[in-house]
Amino acid sequence: KQLSNISLYNWTYLTTLATATNIDPQFMCYAHSKGVRLIVQLGGGNIPLTSNKTARQIWIQQQFQLVENIHFDGLNFDWEWGLNPNQAGNQQ
């Protein structure tokens, strides 16, 4: 379904697409053939950020592994939630 109209778009000025991980491999190949990078879009309140340094490092490593496994070009981390003022000084 994603490829039905993809060739109709003007890819001239497009450099990067941020998208979910469930993307059609043919779409990815077409985008790459046009010189467009695909990046995983992460964001929202479901990101398990924590003051636990070890847990954070594990989560970050998992995200990089995901990008490598699905052959994306990178990731976009969009954190829009504020920190509790009591937590801000405890971040490592």
Side-chain angles (χ1 to χ4, degrees):
K1 293 179 183 178
Q2 291 177 346
L3 287 178
S4 61
N5 294 321
I6 193 100
S7 61
L8 300 177
Y9 293 106
N10 181 353
W11 291 77
T12 307
Y13 302 106
L14 194 58
T15 61
T16 307
L17 286 174
T19 185
T21 58
N22 57 344
I23 191 165
D24 185 327
Q26 289 181 320
F27 177 90
M28 181 182 294
C29 288
Y30 189 85
H32 282 153
S33 76
K34 298 297 184 182
V36 175
R37 297 175 303 237
L38 293 171
I39 59 175
V40 177
Q41 173 67 42
L42 302 173
N46 60 350
I47 297 176
L49 290 184
T50 174
S51 60
N52 180 312
K53 183 178 179 180
T54 302
R56 254 193 342 265
Q57 289 174 334
I58 291 169
W59 183 82
I60 291 168
Q61 196 59 35
Q62 290 171 340
Q63 302 318 301
F64 280 112
Q65 191 62 51
L66 170 69
V67 168
E68 286 182 11
N69 289 345
I70 60 176
H71 308 290
F72 271 55
D73 301 300
L75 58 90
N76 179 40
F77 180 76
D78 185 19
W79 181 255
E80 297 182 10
W81 299 91
L83 289 176
N84 177 325
N86 295 327
Q87 291 177 316
N90 296 326
Q91 301 299 311
Q92 299 179 20

